[in-house]
Amino acid sequence: MNQFKAVIESMVQPLLEPETYSNLLTKLIIIAIYVIVAFVVVRILNKVIEQFFKVNNRAMTKSNRASRVKRSKTLITLVQNAVGYLVWFITLTTVLSKFGISVESILAGAGVVGLAIGFGAQTLVKDVITGFFIIFENQFDVGDYVSIKNNGSPIAEGTVKAIGLRSTRILSYTGELSIIPNGTMSEVTNFSVTNGVSVIDIPVSINEKIDDVEKKMNIFLKSIPKKYDIFIEPPEVLGVDNFNSYEVRIRVAGETLPGESFSGSRILRRELKEFLQAEGIEAPMPTLVQLYKDQQNAES
């Protein structure tokens, strides 16, 4: 009974001493300072990383500039995450040491547990290794439009929103966000690596002089890159692609930035529609042929 009483007193006694609360308050203040400093250091390092990977746009073409910007975004996110984890890990270990907790023993125990878990986490290891090669082989970057397949079966298609060592986030054009483990990507089609080409067919009346229409269109198309940055060069008229009894289809093509071919096609259709109306170029009208009974009997 006396031993039990002595144990209770030894536990309660420190709580009655002012020095205990003074030391605790001091440690809490130190911890708060460490956390604030870590937060500030992370913010500063993030700014430094952004400046380090900042793209110099002056001496680049629009195509190279766009690819470099996307590559920079990918590396900025990856490096910032890695640096943030490192800073907060150092802060945590420093705080634990202030409370007299042995960090070395925790790390040693974590190593043993990690080794045991590693045998059952082969999928996770595969995801991380695949993510490493995706990033450093530059298979795709944040902002690219990609199609992901696994052994021929489609998994997701859309715009890359984030790339991590374990998983990748793909946003489809209908708004669904797919989070895909990197290890499941066996086939990747990147639609944003090379420049796109917008190809459209413009119908005009069969009664128009095609040479004159094509000349006017070529002159007008030279102004398109000045209005829309997605075009690398002025679009050009390729010529007559098809015709029938009432219309002629003139094909127009323009080189765009990677992944912008569909947007470029929509722009060309709108701009050429307004241009044809302003120039008074006749639109095709289907011809309606009506046969009377006498004609029908004669033809039969």
Side-chain angles (χ1 to χ4, degrees):
M1 188 65 181
N2 292 333
Q3 292 180 351
F4 178 76
K5 184 178 179 180
V7 171
I8 296 299
E9 289 179 354
S10 64
M11 295 175 60
V12 174
Q13 185 63 32
L15 299 177
L16 301 177
E17 296 178 357
E19 291 80 3
T20 301
Y21 298 100
S22 176
N23 293 334
L24 179 62
L25 180 61
T26 301
K27 290 180 179 179
L28 291 176
I29 293 174
I30 294 175
I31 292 172
I33 293 174
Y34 276 120
V35 171
I36 293 173
V37 170
F39 180 77
V40 173
V41 168
V42 170
R43 293 293 298 272
I44 293 174
L45 290 177
N46 285 343
K47 293 294 184 181
V48 172
I49 292 169
E50 289 180 5
Q51 292 298 321
F52 180 79
F53 287 103
K54 190 174 182 179
V55 179
N56 185 2
N57 296 329
R58 295 180 180 177
M60 295 184 183
T61 64
K62 288 190 287 187
S63 177
N64 291 335
R65 189 187 314 156
S67 61
R68 284 287 300 276
V69 167
K70 290 188 294 186
R71 184 62 176 167
S72 296
K73 289 181 179 179
T74 302
L75 294 177
I76 285 172
T77 302
L78 179 65
V79 175
Q80 284 179 342
N81 289 338
V83 170
Y85 292 144
L86 179 61
V87 171
W88 287 111
F89 176 77
I90 295 173
T91 303
L92 177 61
T93 55
T94 304
V95 169
L96 292 176
S97 64
K98 290 296 179 181
F99 282 91
I101 300 175
S102 177
V103 178
E104 291 80 4
S105 60
I106 293 177
L107 294 178
V112 175
V113 174
L115 182 62
I117 295 176
F119 289 104
Q122 297 181 9
T123 302
L124 177 61
V125 174
K126 180 182 178 181
D127 292 340
V128 172
I129 293 175
T130 305
F132 176 85
F133 284 109
I134 287 174
I135 293 170
F136 288 97
E137 287 182 355
N138 195 18
Q139 296 182 15
F140 53 82
D141 291 317
V142 173
D144 286 353
Y145 190 90
V146 298
S147 174
I148 307 295
K149 296 181 179 179
N150 183 10
N151 297 325
S153 300
I155 300 177
E157 181 175 334
T159 304
V160 179
K161 303 303 292 184
I163 303 174
L165 288 177
R166 193 191 67 83
S167 63
T168 297
R169 296 170 182 262
I170 307 292
L171 181 66
S172 70
Y173 68 93
T174 54
E176 295 87 358
L177 181 65
S178 300
I179 303 174
I180 306 171
N182 292 330
T184 63
M185 301 182 190
S186 60
E187 302 172 36
V188 177
T189 303
N190 193 337
F191 298 95
S192 302
V193 175
T194 58
N195 291 341
V197 179
S198 298
V199 180
I200 63 170
D201 292 332
I202 300 297
V204 298
S205 173
I206 193 72
N207 300 320
E208 292 288 344
K209 293 183 178 180
I210 302 303
D211 288 341
D212 294 341
V213 174
E214 290 182 348
K215 290 178 182 178
K216 292 179 180 179
M217 290 174 64
N218 274 322
I219 294 173
F220 169 74
L221 290 171
K222 292 180 180 179
S223 64
I224 295 296
K226 298 177 182 178
K227 297 174 62 177
Y228 303 98
D229 292 336
I230 66 172
F231 287 95
I232 305 297
E233 299 290 343
E236 60 180 2
V237 176
L238 301 182
V240 176
D241 185 67
N242 199 357
F243 70 94
N244 55 36
S245 61
Y246 62 89
E247 72 172 3
V248 176
R249 290 187 171 269
I250 301 175
R251 177 154 293 185
V252 177
E255 186 178 5
T256 68
L257 293 175
E260 297 289 350
S261 59
F262 296 115
S263 299
S265 296
R266 289 189 287 269
I267 290 172
L268 287 178
R269 290 189 187 97
R270 183 182 67 247
E271 291 291 332
L272 285 172
K273 183 260 182 187
E274 297 294 335
F275 166 76
L276 294 177
Q277 282 187 331
E279 292 291 327
I281 297 174
E282 185 180 349
M285 293 292 293
T287 303
L288 179 62
V289 178
Q290 184 175 3
L291 296 177
Y292 295 96
K293 290 183 178 181
D294 295 341
Q295 293 175 321
Q296 292 176 352
N297 294 331
E299 291 179 357
S300 63

